[in-house]
Amino acid sequence: MDCRVCMAGGDVWMRGQIGGNFSHESEHDLALMVTDFWENGSAGAESWCSSDSDSALSDLAHLADKIPFYKRSVAQYEKDLTSVVHSLILSISENDLHFVKSGPCNASCLKFSLVKLLRLSGYDAAVCVARWQGSGKVPGGDHEYIDVVNFNNSGSSERLIIDLDFRSHFEIARAVHSYDRILNSLPVVYVGSLTRMKQFLQVMVEAARSSLKQNSMPLPPWRSLAYLQAKWQSPYQREFNLDEENANGAYSSDHKQCSGQLKMLQSLLQSEIEADRMLKPINTDHIMSLDFLPLSNSFLYTLTREIVRMLH
């Protein structure tokens, strides 16, 4: 479901992420909160510029430096799972979505397709449906994501979260350019622990607050840390099969929403993989020892030495 609440001038203040499933009650509650926020809580309607001020620029630059660090600070199991998830997403075809759910598509088909492939690969994966009640300034809602339970040798277990549309949770109105750069530096698909996710959430909430402040706009409640954390830390129910009927090969042709999401996700993911590959440091271990080079080839020997010196 693509839930949008638009204000004057066409500004999108709230958009449900692709593949999300708001209940009618939570959608209504959130829409009321958006309206109340716009009428009573927002300020600075006269300030609509979206450029960086000098002070906020330094704040956003500091926050931007944290994203690459958090992306690199990953346990080996998370790295391996991320690689598997990326490969499986890129392997899914549009036809695969037709055998997941019969009847109208509600944009959950891609999640269940990925869960099916993960379980076939030996992972304890499921689609998690989380719901929470509104409290104070935090609106109620619901959210779907994937988890993988990893059992350690000691007998303990850890849940790893997979969110297929991670960046959409942080989209804001009138974002300054620096904020957009931070947003686009986030993983396309989040794969990792709740602890590491909280680090991303804290950075993005501060970045959003800084960006909105430049337009004299307060942070809306649906972009607060408490609301974002509720999406992945609220009580949830694990589901494995979207539709038992499809276990027998039932076919559905109405998958336009999931098909569009799959194409966009695969495109973004492929671009991210290529960009990460370009940024990887050159491995010069194989040329650190130059004894294998013929001494007679003095030009090649000197050139290689110069390359090694420049790289270090």
Side-chain angles (χ1 to χ4, degrees):
M1 172 178 188
D2 188 2
C3 175
R4 296 174 181 263
V5 176
C6 300
M7 301 305 175
D11 300 305
V12 179
W13 273 83
M14 183 275 291
R15 183 181 70 82
Q17 65 278 10
I18 298 174
N21 292 295
F22 282 106
S23 65
H24 292 296
E25 292 81 6
S26 62
E27 179 183 345
H28 177 69
D29 291 343
L30 187 53
L32 288 176
M33 180 165 285
V34 172
T35 302
D36 178 70
F37 173 80
W38 180 256
E39 292 178 348
N40 303 315
S42 65
E46 73 283 354
S47 177
W48 290 110
C49 60
S50 298
S51 59
D52 296 290
S53 67
D54 293 338
S55 60
L57 188 61
S58 60
D59 293 338
L60 288 169
H62 173 69
L63 293 170
D65 291 338
K66 294 184 177 183
I67 298 296
F69 176 76
Y70 293 152
K71 290 173 72 173
R72 292 193 300 267
S73 304
V74 183
Q76 187 60 47
Y77 182 81
E78 291 184 35
K79 289 182 180 178
D80 296 339
L81 179 60
T82 299
S83 179
V84 170
V85 169
H86 287 179
S87 297
L88 292 179
I89 290 174
L90 293 175
S91 73
I92 296 174
S93 69
E94 187 174 346
N95 287 333
D96 294 330
L97 303 176
H98 296 299
F99 293 95
V100 178
K101 179 182 182 297
S102 60
C105 172
N106 67 348
S108 293
C109 307
L110 181 52
K111 299 185 189 74
F112 280 93
S113 295
L114 180 57
V115 163
K116 178 182 177 181
L117 294 175
L118 284 168
R119 295 186 71 83
L120 288 173
S121 301
Y123 293 93
D124 182 3
V127 172
C128 296
V129 182
R131 293 183 175 88
W132 64 95
Q133 298 295 321
S135 175
K137 293 185 178 181
V138 179
D142 46 55
H143 179 54
E144 279 188 5
Y145 59 92
I146 297 171
D147 78 349
V148 172
V149 180
N150 177 36
F151 294 94
N152 303 319
N153 295 330
S154 61
S156 61
S157 63
E158 179 187 19
R159 291 177 73 225
L160 297 182
I161 306 300
I162 302 173
D163 196 291
L164 299 183
D165 197 14
F166 191 53
R167 295 176 182 176
S168 70
H169 300 288
F170 312 104
E171 293 174 348
I172 61 173
R174 299 290 182 177
V176 297
H177 301 307
S178 298
Y179 181 84
D180 282 337
R181 286 197 293 270
I182 297 176
L183 179 64
N184 291 327
S185 70
L186 289 172
V188 172
V189 176
Y190 178 81
V191 181
S193 65
L194 283 169
T195 300
R196 193 162 68 93
M197 175 182 281
K198 187 175 180 179
Q199 295 175 325
F200 284 111
L201 299 186
Q202 290 172 333
V203 168
M204 295 310 299
V205 169
E206 288 304 312
R209 182 178 287 110
S210 178
S211 176
L212 291 166
K213 185 179 180 181
Q214 294 181 63
N215 289 317
S216 301
M217 299 162 67
L219 185 73
W222 55 91
R223 287 295 178 259
S224 67
L225 182 59
Y227 183 79
L228 291 172
Q229 287 179 326
K231 294 184 177 184
W232 298 280
Q233 295 183 2
S234 296
Y236 61 92
Q237 180 177 353
R238 301 186 88 215
E239 298 180 1
F240 307 101
N241 298 313
L242 185 60
D243 197 326
E244 292 294 336
E245 180 182 352
N246 287 85
N248 299 321
Y251 184 89
S252 172
S253 60
D254 185 13
H255 283 273
K256 293 181 179 179
Q257 191 170 354
C258 272
S259 297
Q261 181 191 9
L262 176 62
K263 292 177 182 178
M264 182 179 69
L265 179 60
Q266 289 177 333
S267 176
L268 289 172
L269 190 57
Q270 191 63 56
S271 298
E272 180 185 54
I273 292 172
E274 292 297 326
D276 289 344
R277 186 176 300 158
M278 294 292 293
L279 292 174
K280 282 185 177 180
I282 300 175
N283 185 359
T284 59
D285 293 344
H286 63 289
I287 61 174
M288 289 305 295
S289 177
L290 302 178
D291 295 338
F292 68 91
L293 290 175
L295 293 179
S296 58
N297 195 344
S298 58
F299 174 76
L300 181 58
Y301 186 89
T302 303
L303 179 61
T304 308
R305 277 289 187 192
E306 184 64 18
I307 293 174
V308 172
R309 185 189 67 79
M310 292 174 63
L311 290 173
H312 292 275

